[in-house]
Amino acid sequence: MQVRWNFKLIPNQEQTAKIDRWLVTLRKHRNYALRERKQGWDNNNKGVAVEIGIGSVYAWGSYCDLETQVEFGVCYPLTCPVQRHGVIPSELGMMVKNSKGETVWDSAGGIQSKVTTLLRSYREDFKQIDSDVLQRNLANLDTAYSNYWKHGRGFPRFLKVLNSFEYKPKRVKLVSFTGNYGVAYLPGIGKVKFHNSRDLSIVAETRTCTIKRRGKFYYISILVDISESLPEEKIPSSVMGIDVGINRLVALSDGSFIENKEITTNLSTARRLAMRQRAASRKKKDSKNKSKAYSRLANQQHKLSLKRDGYNWQAATKIVKTADSVAREGLNIPNMVKRAKPKHDGKGGYKRNGVAAKSGLNKRILDCGWGELFQKIAWLAAKAGKPVFAVNPRHTSQECPKCNHTEKGNRDGEKFVCRACGYAEHADTGASRKITKRGGLSFPPNQRRLPADCGKVTPRKISTPLWVESRNLNLSGREF
Ligand SMILES: [Zn+2]
């Protein structure tokens, strides 16, 4: 099984300076490569897609005919070497790759990696960086591009700050990891101490390593192959429904609650964050004071995120321990925290649209960290062999868990009273019981109210849920 483990690094002064320098050069390298690709595309392919009427989608690494500007997938003597990513180096040899004896035009990433190798021969700042790290930097840009073309994500952005870089598999060596402190050898940086917070003796192999900067702290995130594997999923005999919210972080179907600690939105922290943000943005541009102010802000935000992480782990552990399976809402959080749409008044101006209230609500939603909480639950459940059901979140707080009567008037603030059958409950608890039902598990008969101990809930049937999260868990992509 592959898992990602994080360790806190303890680099010395020299190593810290080196990592910071690398991050600046790597950011410039990435931005340069992105600009080259973007400009090539803008200059050469503008309007082509509309003229030939095939839509705006081309294949990677294809070339167009000079006359018709129709693209071909192969190299052809009378075609111009214009690619959708438009990278044209000064030497023709760089554009052609001959790995199998065939002449094919190289992709943008391929060309730029050759140029990068060349750059290392005469640029001092590039020479200092490990060549693998530079290549991974380009590979990350390639991923960003393919996410844009193939998976409908946003166009790759120019970065103002880069906070991480990556080593290829097996490049980083763990020199020692027996005591409280371990030592890792990072090519180009040297032997760096780290807090040995996990049992590394069970690791069969280390894969890719990422070095991260968070505030003034540095972390190493290692993808490791461990001998343990996940247990088989058992058929559950009990289910815990959870309803996430803002006033209470989680309402459980056994009637208990997990409070919302409001890590960043409690009055004093929110005020301090706003003050620091305002102070930083008012400092003189490009001054030392400005960068100091922003690093103070970054430190505080990092500490708060650690706090939230710790609290959510506790919450997830509590939830997973109480039952054999977990049912939760399949929320689309990015859609929930969108800005309020502007309302036109028909005279060229705008009507009030409640944008301030909505942005305040968005802050509180993001402060809860629901998405991360769901990930933690999924991981803990997978380790315990318990399935997690993500159910349709529609009308969970308006539909009666007992008689399925749906009406807006059922809910009044924190109270839930069914207008059809009179079932009364705390609104969030009611919603969590509705979620439990939708998870494909139903309540036992002859019981008006659920007992306080949710372990007594026995399912009558298990229908196919929408999807079981723990089976779709991509462990290699998660950080634990
Ligand atoms: Zn009812």
Side-chain angles (χ1 to χ4, degrees):
M1 175 172 69
Q2 285 191 346
V3 278
R4 200 169 258 291
W5 281 352
N6 288 325
F7 299 92
K8 194 172 179 184
L9 283 177
I10 318 168
N12 59 31
Q13 225 169 18
E14 198 186 318
Q15 288 162 343
T16 309
K18 209 168 204 175
I19 294 174
D20 286 347
R21 219 161 41 231
W22 279 28
L23 285 170
V24 172
T25 313
L26 286 167
R27 175 178 61 81
K28 287 180 184 168
H29 178 232
R30 184 197 141 102
N31 284 351
Y32 176 81
L34 175 57
R35 185 167 299 273
E36 194 178 33
R37 293 184 194 194
K38 196 168 175 284
Q39 276 181 348
W41 167 249
D42 286 350
N43 295 341
N44 299 316
N45 285 322
K46 208 171 251 174
V48 177
V50 183
E51 275 171 36
I52 55 175
I54 56 161
S56 55
V57 181
Y58 291 115
W60 269 88
S62 49
Y63 306 87
C64 73
D65 187 291
L66 278 177
E67 289 257 300
T68 60
Q69 292 196 317
V70 170
E71 288 209 332
F72 294 100
V74 288
C75 175
Y76 183 67
L78 290 177
T79 57
C80 72
V82 172
Q83 305 180 353
R84 76 190 301 189
H85 39 70
V87 176
I88 305 168
S90 50
E91 291 169 45
L92 192 70
M94 276 189 183
M95 306 182 64
V96 183
K97 62 176 172 188
N98 282 321
S99 59
K100 287 179 191 166
E102 296 159 348
T103 311
V104 281
W105 292 102
D106 209 344
S107 67
I111 294 168
Q112 285 180 335
S113 88
K114 283 176 198 159
V115 175
T116 305
T117 314
L118 198 70
L119 272 174
R120 287 190 85 234
S121 64
Y122 62 87
R123 281 284 296 263
E124 197 51 45
D125 47 351
F126 277 73
K127 208 182 282 179
Q128 285 171 0
I129 300 180
D130 188 70
S131 63
D132 260 6
V133 172
L134 278 165
Q135 302 295 356
R136 286 302 299 185
N137 202 33
L138 281 177
N140 284 343
L141 183 59
D142 277 344
T143 317
Y145 254 86
S146 69
N147 281 343
Y148 171 66
W149 290 115
K150 292 178 188 163
H151 307 298
R153 307 265 174 78
F155 190 78
R157 275 180 305 173
F158 290 99
L159 297 181
K160 276 185 178 172
V161 187
L162 181 74
N163 273 325
S164 67
F165 60 85
E166 218 174 282
Y167 284 101
K168 280 183 186 170
K170 298 181 192 172
R171 288 279 286 151
V172 170
K173 298 267 181 303
L174 297 172
V175 181
S176 75
F177 43 83
T178 42
N180 288 338
Y181 299 102
V183 177
Y185 172 71
L186 311 178
I189 292 172
K191 288 179 182 171
V192 186
K193 250 167 84 169
F194 64 87
H195 287 278
N196 189 12
S197 48
R198 282 181 193 271
D199 183 13
L200 278 162
S201 60
I202 58 165
V203 170
E205 199 177 48
T206 57
R207 307 290 301 164
T208 49
C209 281
T210 309
I211 311 295
K212 291 187 221 167
R213 181 176 59 189
R214 295 284 179 269
K216 59 183 172 185
F217 305 108
Y218 297 83
Y219 295 87
I220 181 169
S221 160
I222 316 176
L223 188 65
V224 288
D225 257 332
I226 54 175
S227 45
E228 284 173 20
S229 56
L230 290 175
E232 285 234 342
E233 228 165 60
K234 285 166 277 188
I235 293 172
S237 62
S238 61
V239 62
M240 171 63 78
I242 54 167
D243 177 58
V244 290
I246 291 174
N247 292 329
R248 306 276 176 85
L249 182 64
V250 184
L252 292 88
S253 58
D254 64 357
S256 64
F257 296 99
I258 294 171
E259 294 302 320
N260 182 5
K261 283 268 185 217
E262 300 192 317
I263 306 286
T264 62
T265 47
N266 70 66
L267 269 181
S268 66
T269 315
R271 183 162 168 265
R272 176 157 300 167
L273 271 175
M275 266 161 57
R276 289 212 169 141
Q277 177 72 58
R278 197 162 49 229
S281 70
R282 280 178 181 171
K283 295 273 187 291
K284 199 178 162 194
K285 202 180 169 188
D286 293 330
S287 65
K288 266 197 173 167
N289 275 334
K290 186 151 195 151
S291 75
K292 269 194 245 170
Y294 272 114
S295 68
R296 256 200 302 278
L297 184 68
N299 283 339
Q300 194 187 4
Q301 279 168 343
H302 172 63
K303 276 182 194 165
L304 292 171
S305 82
L306 289 181
K307 232 180 191 178
R308 182 187 300 118
D309 237 31
Y311 186 68
N312 281 3
W313 274 122
Q314 283 176 11
T317 313
K318 188 186 166 192
I319 290 162
V320 172
K321 267 188 179 169
T322 38
D324 277 355
S325 63
V326 181
R328 66 155 177 95
E329 290 166 289
L331 297 175
N332 185 345
I333 297 162
N335 269 0
M336 294 173 75
V337 292
K338 276 195 177 149
R339 269 196 322 173
K341 271 191 191 147
K343 277 187 196 164
H344 295 275
D345 63 358
K347 289 179 257 170
Y350 293 96
K351 282 192 240 171
R352 288 184 165 273
N353 63 346
V355 68
K358 177 60 180 152
S359 102
L361 178 67
N362 289 350
K363 264 184 207 163
R364 295 189 72 196
I365 291 178
L366 291 170
D367 185 29
C368 294
W370 294 337
E372 285 182 14
L373 178 67
F374 289 155
Q375 277 189 13
K376 289 176 172 75
I377 290 171
W379 168 242
L380 291 177
K383 276 213 294 191
K386 296 173 180 179
V388 177
F389 307 101
V391 307
N392 187 355
R394 201 176 159 80
H395 296 319
T396 43
S397 59
Q398 294 171 19
E399 197 175 322
C400 172
K402 200 170 161 236
C403 70
N404 294 344
H405 172 71
T406 311
E407 193 184 326
K408 212 176 174 184
N410 281 353
R411 181 170 179 169
D412 175 22
E414 291 210 323
K415 292 191 289 282
F416 181 95
V417 182
C418 179
R419 291 202 172 174
C421 71
Y423 175 89
E425 188 54 85
H426 186 283
D428 293 338
T429 310
S432 69
R433 290 181 181 174
K434 191 69 228 170
I435 292 162
T436 315
K437 262 191 160 178
R438 286 195 191 161
L441 301 127
S442 30
F443 295 125
N446 307 327
Q447 242 173 323
R448 262 185 71 85
R449 298 279 294 258
L450 269 173
D453 175 17
C454 83
K456 285 178 196 160
V457 180
T458 34
R460 280 190 299 182
K461 65 173 172 60
I462 299 173
S463 61
T464 321
L466 292 175
W467 52 287
V468 179
E469 188 168 62
S470 43
R471 275 182 217 141
N472 292 311
L473 199 63
N474 177 13
L475 292 173
S476 59
R478 299 265 189 271
E479 288 171 14
F480 297 107

